[in-house]
Amino acid sequence: MTNDDIDWLRLQKALAVEAEKGFVDLVGKQYRFSEFLCLSFGKPPATLSVEERRRWQEMAMQFAEYHQMTQEERQSLVAAARRCLHLSQQVSEQQHLYALGDIEDKETRRQGGQGSNSSHQPPATSHSSDFPLSSTGVQMCAPTDSRIIQPKTSTLVSTKSSEINQRLAPSLEQPLTRLPEIGARRGEILAKLGLYTVRDVLLYYPRDHINYARQVKICDLEAGETATLVGTVKKCQCFTSPRNAKLSILEIVLKDNTGQIRINYFFAGGRYSHRGWQEQQKRKYPPGAVVAASGLVKESKYGLTLDKPALEVLAHPGDTIDSLTVGRVVPIYPLTEGVGADMVRKAVTTALPSLVHLKDPLPKALRDYYGFVEVREAIANIHFPADTDALELARRRLVFDEFFYLQLGLLQRQYKARQIANSAVLSPSGQLVEKFYQLLPFKLTGAQQRVINDILNDLKKSVPMNRLVQGDVGSGKTVVAVVAILAAIQSGYQGALMAPTEVLAEQHYRKLVGWFNLLHLPVELLTGSTPAAKRRQIHAQLETGELPLLVGTHALIQDKVIFQRLGLVVIDEQHRFGVGQRARLQQKGESPHVLTMTATPIPRTLALTLHGDLDVSQIDELPPGRQKIHTTVLSSKERSHAYELILREVAQGRQAYIVLPLVEESEKLDLKAAVDEFQKLQESIFPQFQVGLLHGRMSSADKDEVINLFRDNQTQILVSTTVIEVGVDVPNATVMLIENAERFGLSQLHQLRGRVGRGAAQSFCLLMGNPKNETARQRLKVLEESQDGFFIAEADMRFRGPGEVLGMRQAGLPDFTLASLIDDQAVLEIAREAAEKVMEKDPTLQRWSLMQAELTYRYQKLMGGTILT
């Protein structure tokens, strides 16, 4: 009997109709259902194995006794027959395709005269597991023994027949609308999720998984856990609620040898009250049927139950579970209105066979060295893992990929920048730098000197410097920047220093004027508040080269600002500028050296992600004599203690800050609160002292006046919003009281705290608030117990996420699908190491064209080009 002698569709339809009608042994035109199945299974296809044909004969004998069976036995037999038929059809069709493949191969050999091995020779495979990569033997396509998990049966299908599989499976770029299993209507719905092709679906990873793979006995169920149980239906009833005519209830009681459990489903709507529909539900789960149920265990008035579990009827207690949601690790996908989970899962199962077209861009030597699974196995298991171990291996590989291509792109960008050898070569030693060292009233710390050496070594090269200097509040970054600026000036070039706010720009200008006057060098300040006449004068002096250094805000990137010979760009708090703004300032010169600084400590994982193409130096040492700031968390009930401390310090001639939060969504409300608080403090709490008010909505002139009064100690207490976070330097201030401290991020609190402790006297920071939960209390405790900005930044990232640490909502961060900068730090470190090793071997990636193609795809698709702008 050939494959064509079996009408597979007719057999499956007969089984489906019998199940739908309640296993009544339907009567057809020629035969009863049982007679038709007995005859059909009595003639198995010749393409089946001996074992499969034996199973068909046994099935035929069982259908011969169908009329004597109970309802439960009939249901089990029909279920077994459907599974047997499904598997046999797959085997038969595969054998048929093998035959066709042999015919095509013979025809090809006859026409082309080529040996049979010429088109099937597998690529050479590296037998070395060492890494770094060797230049030969790197396998660039999928290994011939790789396997793909088939989700419905969780079996492994070998790619031994990869050519046949590739003929059958849709291409990765095949539109979903052209797949028969999806079609135009479903394809349009899936497009709402951005899913247009088979590749899109394969790379649409679940956002989470629910573990139903753990199978337990009823007596071992525990509330709050997810589990799967297999039991026998003791009772099943479906009825309309006596209290609500539009509510129907399906109640199933399952039992095993350890106990029983009641499961209820509720259906709202008049159509569910139809008696025919209710009877149909009861026929699905007749008494005696074996059912697998997966769900969340919850307490109910009847004891433990499963909340809306997924169910599958089995042939017997040890039967294989075929469902996509029962007894397995179930993927949970991001959805949108109108797109259901079942539709996405169906699309994924349809797309999975196309993994045979996917070649792994990572060389086998690299995968073996780090213990990563092959990419096809990873993608299959991220969607439908056999168990939690398979899921973890899959996720680790795919998270690595996201980090690896990011790091590879950043390192390639750095490599390409270093190939441009047209920057100014600056002299690290000279009269100006030496004279500046002599002017300093203090000795540089070892960390400052180390960072200066890093910078001066960069400036000696014609390759443009691109270095980030990280340093905690008060670590002395400005002095380091001045040395670099003087190296540029003494070499005949100009410098530019850009800060994000006028307050910070003015603070830098004030420091630099003091030093530059002693060195007989002019320096100017350019901000949005600079008068037009002064602005024109600055523009003219820049163009002629008379002005060697310009300090300013965003005003520096205006078109009218033209440098004669810009050799060095210094950007402070650079994360507050956009990529485009930083680039525009660099374009004011011909490949100028770039030094960026930040007083906001950045965790290493975040630094690698944002600044992986930069050289990083860290000033990890505070100047001698700086005392630890005594930090205390207070509740609002302890406000009197805070006022007593302020009163004591101010009475001794020192000064204090009182900071109020500023929330963007309610800026006017908070402004009013600041004004009210200022008036109350001046009139009622500290009438004997002068209290000042500073907030972001004041004009620049008014801000300057308030800051100058405070700096000159004409104002003893300054009530302020967060505008004092950076740039205000008053060594006489020893107390910082921060109201509603729980509303700030830890890094921002650490920055605010840095406004005190800048002199020799003991300083204090009081964090006042009423945290509403334990997490908020723990956050403030971090500040109380640590002065280490990098430790605080790490903690802040864990509490609030990476985007908020820098005072931004994911700006400039790549949009990772699976990877987490908080949970996957170890994988990020591995990815960086691997990317560095690849770049050492071949920075152009010519050896690994698939890797280069994947890198290009990732930056266009995943990162949106933001990193490489």
Side-chain angles (χ1 to χ4, degrees):
M1 180 178 287
T2 66
N3 184 58
D4 295 334
D5 294 324
I6 293 292
D7 190 341
W8 302 97
L9 182 62
R10 188 179 177 199
L11 276 171
Q12 288 282 17
K13 187 172 182 181
L15 289 162
V17 173
E18 174 71 5
E20 184 180 337
K21 297 300 183 182
F23 310 100
V24 296
D25 201 9
L26 292 167
V27 178
K29 291 182 179 179
Q30 293 180 297
Y31 304 103
R32 298 188 72 88
F33 165 77
S34 57
E35 294 171 339
F36 173 67
L37 268 292
C38 182
L39 289 170
S40 298
F41 276 105
K43 299 178 180 179
T47 53
L48 297 180
S49 66
V50 174
E51 180 63 24
E52 286 290 322
R53 279 181 282 167
R54 185 184 62 78
R55 284 190 61 190
W56 274 56
Q57 295 291 350
E58 289 177 356
M59 201 72 70
M61 293 172 63
Q62 292 183 62
F63 275 108
E65 300 176 359
Y66 189 81
H67 65 286
Q68 299 176 352
M69 293 181 179
T70 64
Q71 185 87 346
E72 178 185 354
E73 291 170 337
R74 290 183 178 187
Q75 182 176 1
S76 296
L77 178 58
V78 169
R82 295 176 78 171
R83 280 191 295 277
C84 176
L85 203 62
H86 176 71
L87 293 173
S88 297
Q89 184 180 3
Q90 284 187 324
V91 172
S92 184
E93 289 178 348
Q94 192 79 311
Q95 291 294 335
H96 185 57
L97 285 166
Y98 272 126
L100 287 177
D102 287 342
I103 293 172
E104 290 177 4
D105 287 343
K106 290 175 182 176
E107 183 66 18
T108 301
R109 291 196 296 271
R110 184 182 65 81
Q111 293 179 1
Q114 296 180 355
S116 60
N117 291 332
S118 61
S119 60
H120 298 283
Q121 186 68 31
T125 305
S126 171
H127 296 288
S128 173
S129 61
D130 65 335
F131 190 77
L133 304 170
S134 59
S135 60
T136 60
V138 176
Q139 183 166 318
M140 293 310 302
C141 64
T144 56
D145 62 347
S146 62
R147 297 183 172 192
I148 299 173
I149 293 178
Q150 298 297 320
K152 285 202 171 185
T153 59
S154 295
T155 58
L156 295 175
V157 179
S158 172
T159 58
K160 181 180 179 181
S161 55
S162 59
E163 289 193 8
I164 294 175
N165 290 336
Q166 287 184 8
R167 291 186 205 135
L168 290 172
S171 72
L172 295 172
E173 309 309 325
Q174 177 88 333
L176 298 178
T177 53
R178 294 176 59 184
L179 298 179
E181 300 89 341
I182 295 177
R185 186 180 65 83
R186 290 191 183 93
E188 291 175 2
I189 296 174
L190 290 167
K192 294 180 180 180
L193 296 174
L195 306 179
Y196 301 98
T197 67
V198 169
R199 184 191 296 272
D200 293 337
V201 172
L202 290 174
L203 300 183
Y204 193 69
Y205 302 144
R207 62 174 174 81
D208 201 357
H209 293 80
I210 299 178
N211 184 12
Y212 292 146
R214 190 174 66 94
Q215 187 171 322
V216 300
K217 294 291 187 180
I218 291 176
C219 70
D220 295 327
L221 293 174
E222 293 185 19
E225 295 186 349
T226 55
T228 295
L229 61 91
V230 176
T232 303
V233 177
K234 180 179 179 181
K235 182 176 70 172
C236 177
Q237 55 181 343
C238 190
F239 55 91
T240 302
S241 170
R243 297 181 180 179
N244 186 347
K246 291 187 177 181
L247 179 65
S248 296
I249 303 170
L250 173 63
E251 182 182 276
I252 303 172
V253 178
L254 296 177
K255 64 175 183 177
D256 63 13
N257 58 3
T258 69
Q260 66 180 37
I261 187 172
R262 179 181 303 193
I263 298 168
N264 289 326
Y265 289 87
F266 298 92
F267 302 91
R271 64 193 182 96
Y272 299 113
S273 301
H274 190 274
R275 195 65 205 157
W277 181 86
Q278 293 180 353
E279 287 297 320
Q280 184 184 38
Q281 297 305 304
K282 290 168 64 177
R283 285 198 298 268
K284 286 183 180 179
Y285 312 103
V290 179
V291 173
S294 297
L296 175 66
V297 184
K298 297 182 72 174
E299 292 277 4
S300 75
K301 62 181 180 179
Y302 302 108
L304 292 179
T305 186
L306 294 180
D307 184 42
K308 300 177 184 176
L311 304 178
E312 181 178 353
V313 178
L314 306 179
H316 51 79
D319 193 14
T320 302
I321 298 174
D322 292 338
S323 169
L324 293 178
T325 55
V326 178
R328 65 183 309 147
V329 181
V330 179
I332 307 299
Y333 293 94
L335 302 174
T336 191
E337 186 177 357
V339 188
D342 288 341
M343 183 180 293
V344 176
R345 291 190 189 111
K346 172 67 174 174
V348 171
T349 57
T350 301
L352 280 177
S354 297
L355 284 173
V356 297
H357 299 301
L358 194 63
K359 297 178 180 179
D360 200 326
L362 294 186
K364 187 175 185 300
L366 187 152
R367 298 199 307 268
D368 291 346
Y369 184 81
Y370 289 111
F372 291 119
V373 298
E374 204 264 345
V375 70
R376 298 192 294 175
E377 181 182 344
I379 292 176
N381 279 328
I382 200 68
H383 289 293
F384 292 102
D387 50 42
T388 53
D389 290 340
L391 173 61
E392 181 55 35
L393 288 173
R395 187 184 181 279
R396 183 172 179 267
R397 163 63 201 270
L398 298 176
V399 165
F400 172 84
D401 281 1
E402 290 189 322
F403 283 146
F404 173 73
Y405 290 107
L406 169 65
Q407 295 303 315
L408 195 59
L410 291 170
L411 290 173
Q412 262 207 339
R413 178 185 177 185
Q414 185 183 63
Y415 168 78
K416 291 175 182 176
R418 287 175 173 171
Q419 303 311 299
I420 305 171
N422 61 350
S423 284
V425 177
L426 307 182
S427 174
S429 59
Q431 187 178 3
L432 283 179
V433 172
E434 294 302 324
K435 195 171 182 180
F436 176 67
Y437 285 147
Q438 296 169 12
L439 290 174
L440 288 177
F442 52 83
K443 185 179 179 181
L444 295 176
T445 65
Q448 284 176 310
Q449 194 61 62
R450 184 184 68 245
V451 173
I452 287 173
N453 291 339
D454 290 342
I455 294 170
L456 296 181
N457 285 333
D458 289 343
L459 297 180
K460 289 190 292 185
K461 303 170 185 175
S462 59
V463 174
M465 174 180 70
N466 202 2
R467 183 170 292 277
L468 169 67
V469 173
Q470 292 193 88
D472 217 335
V473 176
S475 61
K477 296 180 298 300
T478 306
V479 173
V480 169
V482 170
V483 173
I485 292 168
L486 292 176
I489 293 173
Q490 71 185 10
S491 301
Y493 291 88
Q494 294 167 295
L497 193 161
M498 184 167 71
T501 65
E502 289 193 11
V503 171
L504 184 53
E506 289 162 4
Q507 179 69 44
H508 281 308
Y509 173 70
R510 194 180 305 276
K511 278 189 178 180
L512 289 167
V513 163
W515 287 327
F516 273 48
N517 282 345
L518 296 174
L519 294 169
H520 307 293
L521 292 173
V523 57
E524 292 289 357
L525 175 67
L526 183 64
T527 69
S529 304
T530 304
K534 182 66 174 177
R535 190 181 295 267
R536 287 193 294 271
Q537 178 187 345
I538 291 172
H539 291 166
Q541 291 176 344
L542 277 180
E543 284 195 69
T544 60
E546 297 174 61
L547 183 61
L549 175 62
L550 180 62
V551 180
T553 57
H554 304 76
L556 269 62
I557 63 176
Q558 294 174 348
D559 292 338
K560 292 183 180 180
V561 177
I562 301 172
F563 290 82
Q564 185 196 55
R565 205 180 184 202
L566 181 62
L568 175 67
V569 169
V570 180
I571 303 174
D572 197 14
E573 296 297 329
Q574 56 84 36
H575 61 270
R576 294 177 178 234
F577 294 99
V579 173
Q581 291 172 325
R582 299 198 297 266
R584 284 190 65 187
L585 181 57
Q586 291 172 238
Q587 290 163 7
K588 299 287 183 181
E590 294 183 9
S591 299
H593 297 285
V594 179
L595 177 66
T596 57
M597 304 189 299
T598 180
T600 303
I602 304 174
R604 174 168 167 77
T605 51
L606 197 52
L608 280 177
T609 306
L610 286 171
H611 313 303
D613 58 334
L614 304 183
D615 296 308
V616 180
S617 295
Q618 186 170 314
I619 304 178
D620 50 9
E621 182 183 354
L622 291 177
R626 294 291 294 269
Q627 296 190 41
K628 179 180 178 180
I629 301 168
H630 187 77
T631 305
T632 308
V633 177
L634 302 173
S635 69
S636 57
K637 296 178 182 178
E638 299 172 290
R639 184 178 301 278
S640 60
H641 298 313
Y643 289 162
E644 287 172 8
L645 175 62
I646 292 173
L647 187 63
R648 187 188 74 202
E649 289 293 304
V650 175
Q652 295 177 15
R654 302 190 182 102
Q655 294 166 272
Y657 297 97
I658 297 178
V659 179
L660 294 134
L662 179 64
V663 179
E664 294 176 6
E665 289 80 4
S666 56
E667 183 175 344
K668 291 182 180 178
L669 177 64
D670 280 295
L671 175 61
K672 182 176 181 297
V675 172
D676 291 345
E677 184 70 10
F678 159 70
Q679 291 176 343
K680 184 178 77 171
L681 291 168
Q682 179 66 90
E683 296 171 5
S684 305
I685 310 299
F686 304 113
Q688 69 273 48
F689 302 117
Q690 289 298 316
V691 181
L693 175 65
L694 180 68
H695 56 76
R697 297 181 68 188
M698 298 171 68
S699 68
S700 295
D702 289 342
K703 285 181 191 174
D704 286 342
E705 182 181 358
V706 171
I707 292 173
N708 287 332
L709 287 172
F710 189 66
R711 186 179 289 114
D712 297 337
N713 203 5
Q714 296 181 42
T715 300
Q716 288 78 47
I717 300 170
L718 181 60
V719 178
S720 174
T721 58
T722 54
V723 293
I724 64 156
E725 182 181 347
V726 291
V728 178
D729 186 3
V730 181
N732 192 49
T734 57
V735 182
M736 166 73 67
L737 168 61
I738 304 175
E739 299 273 4
N740 302 113
E742 72 276 6
R743 295 172 65 178
F744 296 89
L746 293 186
S747 293
Q748 191 175 31
L749 288 172
H750 182 60
Q751 283 275 26
L752 289 167
R753 177 170 61 180
R755 296 306 100 203
V756 295
R758 305 179 80 82
Q762 175 67 59
S763 294
F764 306 87
C765 179
L766 307 176
L767 305 174
M768 184 172 293
N770 294 296
K772 292 187 166 79
N773 54 56
E774 185 59 32
T775 300
R777 281 188 285 272
Q778 288 176 358
R779 288 178 62 248
L780 295 183
K781 279 290 181 184
V782 170
L783 263 294
E784 193 174 48
E785 296 170 0
S786 177
Q787 307 268 324
D788 185 341
F790 290 92
F791 172 79
I792 291 167
E794 288 280 358
D796 203 13
M797 188 169 76
R798 290 192 171 277
F799 282 121
R800 297 195 302 152
E804 295 288 353
V805 169
L806 302 178
M808 58 185 181
R809 296 185 182 274
Q810 300 297 332
L813 287 174
D815 186 15
F816 296 123
T817 304
L818 291 174
S820 164
L821 291 176
I822 297 172
D823 299 326
D824 299 313
Q825 296 186 23
V827 182
L828 175 56
E829 296 284 352
I830 291 173
R832 178 69 175 195
E833 177 186 273
E836 288 172 345
K837 290 181 182 298
V838 167
M839 290 294 292
E840 286 174 10
K841 285 295 177 183
D842 183 4
T844 64
L845 302 185
Q846 290 182 357
R847 295 180 187 175
W848 305 293
S849 56
L850 285 178
M851 190 186 295
Q852 178 65 70
E854 184 71 10
L855 174 63
T856 302
Y857 173 79
R858 292 266 177 171
Y859 271 97
Q860 291 175 346
K861 189 78 173 177
L862 181 63
M863 274 58 112
T866 56
I867 301 299
L868 292 184
T869 301

